[in-house]
Structures are given as structure tokens and as C-alpha cells.
């Protein structure tokens, strides 16, 4: 059976050149970067070169990049540091953030008595910037705003520069979970007043188990992991040299081909939307995911006119990999907190499916998926 992978927002297939780089590193670059002998120095040099090259992609200094095990760890490191080291006493976020942010904010609020406020979300899934400004004006507390650049479920894109400027004008710190954006959008951090962001290699055709946090220069870091002095004391643990080199390679490839990839993936998304519309007028799209002007080309959240999850199982049995999302409670499945926030009564009990695309997908694959969906719906 042929398999079709349309779940790239969950993870992406590693690029062959990334695998090659990592294999070479495993075979020849096995030293501990903390060791002072030549094997350690070689590993350390490789890590620091990767750090410099990654920093260049964002127009920042290498000292502002901290390697982590994931985007989740990077989010936790940033949010905990804001409270424990930067004297933040209030966090503003939204109810449609990734749980790496949402659950961490709730934990910090409970443990350290931090004021936690939620900015309103519009019916289309956009952040209400007028309400954000109202919240920023309402208190003199040291505030951190945490809003993701691209929503991982519905693909809505935050106007990140506008939010960054708004935060700066009210003397507030700004953190963004940019996991779905890194590799798909170029971010010039010399032009955007963002204080903290995160990346995760497996979202841009790199390896799992490695990511990074960006800390704007001047903000000290209190580590969550205690032990050695790796990552300039910000994160104890021997660096994952092979994964870091793989992440560097994946990022370089992504940004070297970013325009061609974006145009190609947009073509796939537009085609898929048009074919879905031909199946039934009752098929709807969640958030702004069908609008290329305000959503990521990689993510499409579709609401089908059926009230069960058999579509997901059927697609899986046919070898088509996608992700589901339903706002309704079903047994132990809590459903999608994002869809719960934006869908109206009568909409939330429909079957929602997230299709997410990459440069590895083809029109032929989409045609196969459309045929199977059509058969199920009809």
C-alpha cells in the first residue's frame, strides 16, 4: 500500500543531506564538547560553528542562541526565566497557544502567584490586538506577552512585528513560540523587537530531539537543568552534537530554498482547497486556514459534515496520515482546545481534520486523498 504523509505540522521527513551530515558526525566527531583534548575541541568547534550559522539566519549574535532538546524545553526555559530571573509578575497569553506555553503559564501562575491574563481571540482565530493593547495599558506590573507566530492547528499567522512593537511601546517583554514558522518564514530579529523565540529542528526537515531558544542580548538566564556549565551555564547537559549539526544543515537548506518551497506549497494548498470545495458546500475551513494572506501555506484545518471520527480512521487505513481535531469532549479525549475556543454551537461536533503540507508532497498524492474523502462523504 502506498502511503501519503499529510501531517507535516506534527513532524517532517528528514532531508537526505541532513542524514548524511549526522552520519558523518557520528562516525568521526564523537568527542565530548566539554573535553579539552583534540576530540573534545573538534566537537566544540562544530557546535559553535553551527551556533554562529544559525544565528546568522536571524541576524543575531551566536551568544543569543541556546541549544535545547526541543521547542517545548525552549518555551519552558524562556517562560521560567522570565519569572525567576527577569522579575516578570504578569503574563499575557491566549487560550489557543500550544500546550508547551499554555500549561507552563498556568503552572507559573499557580506556583509563583503570577498574574495570568488571556487576550481575546476573534471568531476567525486571530488575536484581538485592540484587546491586547487594552491589557498592556491596564497595569504597571512587569509583563511578558507570549503569543505564537503560527497556530499549529489552524495556521493563523500573527502579525509578529506589529505585536512586538506594541509590547515595546508599553515596556513589556515579548516571547513567541515560532516552531511552525522557523524554516518557512524569514525572521530578521535586528528589525523585529522580539525578546525571545524558539525553534525545533524536526519541523523543518531536521532531526527530533533538538531545538533552540533565542534570548535577546542582555537578558540573563537562570537554568532549569543544573549540573555542568554547558551552553554558557544556561543549560546543563552534554550537547547533542550530531543533532545540532543536523539542525544547522536543515535550517540552511530550508532558507536557501525558502521562496521556491513557499510557492510550491501554496500551489498544493490552493489546489487542495479547490478540490475539497467541489466535494460538498458543507465542507468548511477552520480559522483563517483557507486564506493564504493570513495563514501559513503549510496548514489547512478542514471541518467535514460528519459527526464522527471514522473519516480519520478510514484515511489512516488507506495510508493517508493526517491529524484530527474536535472541540467536543469524547470519553477521555479532551479534544482541541483551539477549536473549542473559536467554533460555535453546532460546529464543534463535526469532524475536523488538519492537513499539513511540505515540499515532499505532490498533486498526485492530493488527488488520491481527495478521491478517498469524496467516497467517504458521498
Amino acid at each position: 500500500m502506498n502511503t501519503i504523509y499529510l501531517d507535516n505540522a506534527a513532524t517532517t521527513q528528514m532531508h537526505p543531506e541532513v542524514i548524511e551530515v549526522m552520519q558523518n558526525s557520528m562516525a568521526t566527531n564523537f568527542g565530548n564538547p566539554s573535553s579539552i583534548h583534540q576530540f573534545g575541541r573538534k566537537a566544540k568547534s562544530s557546535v559553535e560553528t553551527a551556533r554562529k550559522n544559525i544565528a546568522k539566519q536571524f541576524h543575531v549574535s551566536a551568544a543569543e542562541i541556546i541549544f535545547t532538546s526541543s521547542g517545548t524545553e525552549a518555551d519552558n526555559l524562556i517562560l521560567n526565566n522570565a519569572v525567576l530571573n527577569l522579575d516578570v509578575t504578569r503574563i499575557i497569553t491566549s487560550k489557543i497557544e500550544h500546550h508547551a506555553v499554555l500549561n507552563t503559564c498556568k503552572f507559573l501562575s499557580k506556583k509563583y502567584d503570577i498574574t495570568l491574563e488571556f487576550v481575546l481571540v476573534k471568531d476567525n482565530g486571530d488575536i484581538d490586538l485592540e484587546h491586547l493593547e487594552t491589557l498592556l495599558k491596564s497595569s504597571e506590573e512587569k509583563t511578558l506577552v507570549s503569543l505564537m507566530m503560527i497556530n499549529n492547528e489552524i495556521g493563523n499567522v500573527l502579525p509578529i512585528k506589529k505585536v512586538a512593537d506594541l509590547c515595546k511601546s508599553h515596556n513589556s517583554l515579548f516571547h513567541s513560540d515560532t516552531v511552525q514558522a522557523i524554516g518557512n518564514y524569514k525572521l530578521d530579529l535586528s528589525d523585529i523587537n522580539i525578546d525571545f523565540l524558539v525553534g525545533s529542528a524536526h519541523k523543518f526537515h531536521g532531526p527530533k530531539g533538538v531545538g533552540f531558544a533565542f534570548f535577546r542580548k542582555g537578558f540573563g538566564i537562570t537554568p532549569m537543568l543544573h549540573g555542568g556549565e554547558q551552553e554558557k551555564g544556561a543549560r546543563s547537559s552534554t550537547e547533542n552534537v550530531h543533532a545540532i549539526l543536523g539542525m544547522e544543515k536543515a535550517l540552511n537548506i530550508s532558507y536557501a530554498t525558502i521562496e521556491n518551497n513557499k510557492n510550491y506549497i501554496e500551489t498544493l494548498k490552493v489546489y487542495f482547497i479547490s478540490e475539497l470545495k467541489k466535494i460538498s458546500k458543507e465542507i468548511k475551513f477552520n480559522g483563517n486556514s483557507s486564506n493564504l494572506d493570513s495563514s501559513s501555506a503549510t496548514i489547512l484545518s478542514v471541518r467535514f459534515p460528519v459527526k464522527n471520527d471514522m473519516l480519520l480512521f478510514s484515511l489512516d487505513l488507506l495510508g493517508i496520515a493526517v491529524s484530527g481535531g474536535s472541540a467536543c469532549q469524547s470519553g477521555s479525549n479532551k479534544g482541541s482546545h483551539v477549536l473549542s475556543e473559536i467554533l460555535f454551537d453546532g460546529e464543534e461536533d463535526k469532524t475536523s481534520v488538519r492537513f499539513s503540507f511540505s515540499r515532499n508532497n505532490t498533486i498526485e498524492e492530493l488527488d488520491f486523498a481527495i478521491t478517498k474523502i469524496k467516497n467517504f462523504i458521498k
Side-chain angles (χ1 to χ4, degrees), residues 289-302:
S289 65
S290 63
N291 184 348
L292 284 179
D293 292 331
S294 54
S295 73
S296 169
T298 57
I299 296 174
L300 181 67
S301 180
V302 186

Side-chain angles (χ1 to χ4, degrees), residues 90 117 134-143 170 172:
R90 182 174 74 142
E117 297 186 86
T134 298
L135 290 176
L136 288 170
K137 290 178 178 178
S138 68
S139 174
E140 295 297 322
E141 287 186 83
K142 184 68 174 293
T143 299
H170 290 87
S172 296

Side-chain angles (χ1 to χ4, degrees), residues 153-154 286 301 325-327 336-343 348 352:
E153 290 199 34
I154 57 177
N286 297 318
S301 180
S326 173
S336 164
H337 67 292
V338 175
L339 298 183
S340 294
E341 192 67 20
I342 67 172
L343 295 184
E348 71 274 10
S352 286

Side-chain angles (χ1 to χ4, degrees), residues 109-367:
S109 175
K110 183 177 180 180
K111 184 172 180 64
Y112 299 106
D113 197 27
I114 300 300
T115 302
L116 180 60
E117 297 186 86
F118 295 101
V119 63
L120 294 176
V121 178
K122 297 180 180 179
D123 293 341
N124 65 355
D126 282 345
I127 300 299
D128 188 331
L129 298 187
E130 290 186 4
H131 184 237
L132 174 60
E133 185 168 18
T134 298
L135 290 176
L136 288 170
K137 290 178 178 178
S138 68
S139 174
E140 295 297 322
E141 287 186 83
K142 184 68 174 293
T143 299
L144 171 78
V145 174
S146 181
L147 296 170
M148 66 199 314
M149 182 174 170
I150 296 176
N151 187 277
N152 59 299
E153 290 199 34
I154 57 177
N156 285 37
V157 179
L158 182 78
I160 194 164
K161 190 176 189 307
K162 188 173 183 178
V163 173
D165 290 342
L166 184 62
C167 292
K168 192 65 63 177
S169 68
H170 290 87
N171 297 315
S172 296
L173 299 175
F174 179 37
H175 158 248
S176 183
D177 181 331
T178 50
V179 163
Q180 294 291 341
I182 301 297
N184 295 311
Y185 287 79
K186 286 206 170 186
L187 292 169
D188 183 351
L189 300 185
S190 67
D191 184 53
I192 303 175
N193 289 316
I194 188 169
D195 299 299
F196 316 100
L197 61 72
V198 307
S200 184
H202 75 104
K203 304 294 187 179
F204 48 86
H205 303 279
K208 295 175 181 64
V210 65
F212 66 87
F214 163 74
F215 280 76
R216 179 71 69 180
K217 195 171 185 178
F219 293 123
I221 305 173
T222 297
M224 290 196 307
L225 303 178
H226 301 279
E229 292 299 313
Q230 293 88 353
E231 294 302 293
K232 302 177 178 62
R235 183 189 185 270
S236 297
S237 186
T238 300
E239 291 91 346
N240 188 345
V241 178
H242 319 308
I244 289 170
L245 298 186
M247 177 166 64
E248 174 199 10
K249 186 65 175 180
L251 194 63
N252 288 343
I253 293 172
S254 293
Y255 283 137
T257 58
I258 190 167
E259 288 303 322
N260 288 338
N261 289 339
K262 181 183 178 184
N263 292 336
Y264 177 69
I265 296 171
E266 282 182 351
T267 300
L268 294 178
K269 184 175 181 178
V270 169
Y271 178 78
F272 198 61
I273 290 171
S274 67
E275 294 301 303
L276 285 172
K277 288 180 177 179
K278 292 176 184 178
I279 295 176
S280 171
K281 292 182 179 179
E282 295 184 63
I283 292 177
K284 305 296 180 182
F285 303 95
N286 297 318
N288 283 339
S289 65
S290 63
N291 184 348
L292 284 179
D293 292 331
S294 54
S295 73
S296 169
T298 57
I299 296 174
L300 181 67
S301 180
V302 186
R303 191 168 69 254
F304 290 96
V306 291
K307 294 186 178 182
N308 59 67
D309 289 332
M310 286 306 298
L311 175 58
L312 286 170
F313 291 118
S314 297
L315 292 175
D316 185 37
L317 289 173
L318 292 166
I320 303 171
V322 295
S323 285
S326 173
C328 60
Q329 297 279 343
S330 177
S332 61
N333 179 15
K334 295 183 179 180
S336 164
H337 67 292
V338 175
L339 298 183
S340 294
E341 192 67 20
I342 67 172
L343 295 184
F344 298 105
D345 291 341
E347 295 177 333
E348 71 274 10
D349 60 348
K350 305 296 184 182
T351 295
S352 286
V353 178
R354 182 188 67 184
F355 301 88
S356 47
F357 316 102
S358 83
R359 59 194 176 208
N360 293 331
N361 293 123
T362 65
I363 291 291
E364 289 74 23
E365 290 179 334
L366 300 188
D367 282 336

